[in-house]
Amino acid sequence: MNNEQIKQKLAAVWEEIKTNCRYEFEFTEFSDNLFIKPLTLLDVADGRILIAYDGKNDVGKDVLERKVGTPLGAIIPLYLDEEDADVTLEFFSPKEAEEYRQRGRAEAQPAQSKAALTPMQTNLNPKYTFDNFVVGNNNSMARAAALAVAEAPGEFYNPLYIYGGVGLGKTHLMHAIAHYALEHHAMRQAKKPENERVPFNVMYVTGEVFTNELIEALRGGKSDTATAEFRAKYRNVDMLLIDDIQFIIGKERTQEEFFHTFNSLYGNNRQLIISSDKPPKDFSMIEERLLSRFEMGLTVDIQAPDYETRMAILRNKADDVQLHLDDDIFDYIATNIRSNIRELEGALNKINVYARLKHLDITPELAKEALKDLVSPNSGGVAITPELIIKIVTDYYAVTMDDLFSSKKSRDITIPRQVTMYLLRQYTDMTLDEIGDYMRRDHSTVISGIRKIEKMIGADPSTANTIDALGKRISPD
Ligand code: ADP
Ligand code: MG
């Protein structure tokens, strides 16, 4: 295959490669977020796979090589034909990647002007379509509403507000709406000049990117033109999709700007679609006027999938990668992984990679072995001690034991510390005083730490998932 073909092939499975990397090499969520998630496929050039680190953290190339070089080096060749599989990886910092892309753009300029005529959103995942979205009791309302706004933007529910826990399909649905709208409303009739056909303009953006772009526009003295450009960009679209709006809520200036964007679009009958991890009224920092805008349209939720839906999603996904498995293997996965579809897919990938790395057929035993750590890392029946809990928490959050016992007050340490207190209380016989002594904290700090986690579990599905996952690691039953 030539470079371009290899690049396309890898690009199509890039997310899957990253998921495999995470699970097969047992990265914690923290390290996954820091090292793996920000990696994008930059280019392929004669056996060299160029990988860009598009994260905001200052992670050096040598660190990346050390952390993800070996895992990715093992996994990427699995996706290539044998004669292409001998590859080296090169990592690019955000700045280097940008330079590389600029160079590419400059070289590709003449050929590109034609393509620019068709509106295209390159930040959409081609796999996230309505066709690939499995409908179950948990998401049928959300899907129906999504399809309705995709078919007739601006006419029924405006805004459409979709909320639900992590990995349950919000982003998938948002992309599906955007794909559908781009395909079916490729052109719309412009009001002025009479009858001129102009492209139907769809913009998909995450709350985080929206925030960053605004900050960028406001920075420095030249903010007038930059802010005007920012406004024009967001207010001249036919459909605006903002994914994970929670990033915006509570950030005063961004929230304000978004409010005006909202009004401008809404006033012109343009469709707004918003996703979030919680319903509008659950935001404590939201402005009343924004809340009332959100509530003007339709709010739908996505719940965790039931057993049948989990089975259907697994079968679909397996078909997709041409993996033929017995029902008892699907059943094993669907029974053990419940709360998150991303994890469900990750489990399937993990079994697949495990079998390929070991050159074994996929049997129920192999599936159990491959998923051992995901399902119940402590199934060997190790006694539940404070030390075990500390080990599980520190692994999960990528913090050290010294951090936990220290007086550091940054959030990335206080949360794991409070989670430890909570888990010690749940899984051992220790009294609050004993936990305090052990953690070098006083009684009241322990109480308030545990309460805080209890509250977060109630209010935030992703914390509930995390505690659930940690619980499984501590004790399989
Ligand atoms: P969220 O944005 O809610 O965190 P995503 O949309 O990123 O979740 O979904 C996580 C993964 O699960 C994606 O790979 C997505 O394609 C898949 N997924 C979620 N819901 C469904 C569904 N109903 N049918 C098929 N795949 C799904
Ligand atoms: Mg999402």
Side-chain angles (χ1 to χ4, degrees), residues 19-152:
T19 309
N20 282 332
C21 181
R22 171 180 177 184
Y23 287 110
E24 193 56 31
F25 289 87
E26 303 183 344
F27 280 75
T28 60
E29 190 175 349
F30 177 85
S31 309
D32 182 42
N33 284 330
L34 184 59
F35 299 118
I36 303 180
K37 288 231 177 82
L39 298 175
T40 51
L41 180 63
L42 185 61
D43 208 354
V44 173
D46 304 324
R48 292 153 59 224
I49 313 284
L50 314 187
I51 298 170
Y53 182 79
D54 280 334
K56 281 185 288 294
N57 295 75
D58 195 14
V59 174
K61 283 196 291 190
D62 47 331
V63 176
L64 284 175
E65 252 150 45
R66 220 167 342 116
K67 285 279 179 190
V68 297
T70 307
L72 281 180
I75 288 173
I76 289 176
L78 295 174
Y79 287 87
L80 298 171
D81 297 337
E82 213 161 310
E83 70 264 25
D84 299 323
D86 188 15
V87 294
T88 53
L89 309 186
E90 285 177 32
F91 294 95
F92 284 60
S93 70
K95 192 159 158 265
E96 290 165 339
E98 188 47 36
E99 282 164 13
Y100 188 92
R101 289 181 179 119
Q102 298 263 344
R103 246 179 291 145
R105 239 173 261 143
E107 279 157 24
Q109 209 64 51
Q112 259 190 357
S113 48
K114 210 165 147 206
L117 289 176
T118 25
M120 249 244 316
Q121 281 263 340
T122 45
N123 57 352
L124 295 177
N125 184 334
K127 285 193 186 164
Y128 291 175
T129 61
F130 281 117
D131 286 346
N132 290 337
F133 191 80
V134 175
V135 190
N137 290 335
N138 60 315
N139 60 26
S140 60
M141 277 285 290
R143 181 197 172 265
L147 196 55
V149 299
E151 280 174 345

Side-chain angles (χ1 to χ4, degrees), residues 15 125 127-129 132-136 138-139 164-174 204 243-244 275-276 302 305 309 312-313 316-317 340-345:
E15 291 307 313
N125 184 334
K127 285 193 186 164
Y128 291 175
T129 61
N132 290 337
F133 191 80
V134 175
V135 190
N138 60 315
N139 60 26
V166 191
L168 294 184
K170 300 181 297 293
T171 296
H172 188 135
L173 264 190
M174 303 277 276
Y204 166 88
D243 202 356
D244 292 324
S275 86
S276 168
I302 304 187
T309 314
I313 289 171
N316 248 31
K317 175 80 187 165
N340 179 325
I341 296 173
R342 190 173 294 122
E343 256 185 31
L344 210 56
E345 294 183 343

Side-chain angles (χ1 to χ4, degrees), residues 207-219:
E208 198 178 2
V209 167
F210 185 89
T211 307
N212 291 340
E213 285 188 8
L214 179 67
I215 292 170
E216 193 60 34
L218 294 174
R219 229 176 43 171

Side-chain angles (χ1 to χ4, degrees), residues 187-201:
M187 300 292 237
R188 76 180 152 84
Q189 214 84 6
K191 288 202 183 106
K192 274 185 257 171
E194 224 46 59
N195 287 333
E196 191 194 331
R197 314 267 293 166
V198 294
F200 187 87
N201 210 335

Side-chain angles (χ1 to χ4, degrees), residues 56 69 84 108 111 124 135 142 148 195 207 212 229 271-272 276 287 303 309 324 333 379-380 407 410 423 432 459-460:
K56 281 185 288 294
D84 299 323
L124 295 177
V135 190
N195 287 333
N212 291 340
E229 269 170 27
Q271 180 70 47
L272 286 128
S276 168
E287 278 182 83
Q303 299 284 336
T309 314
H324 308 287
I333 306 174
S379 50
S407 56
S410 63
L423 294 171
L432 293 170
D460 167 23

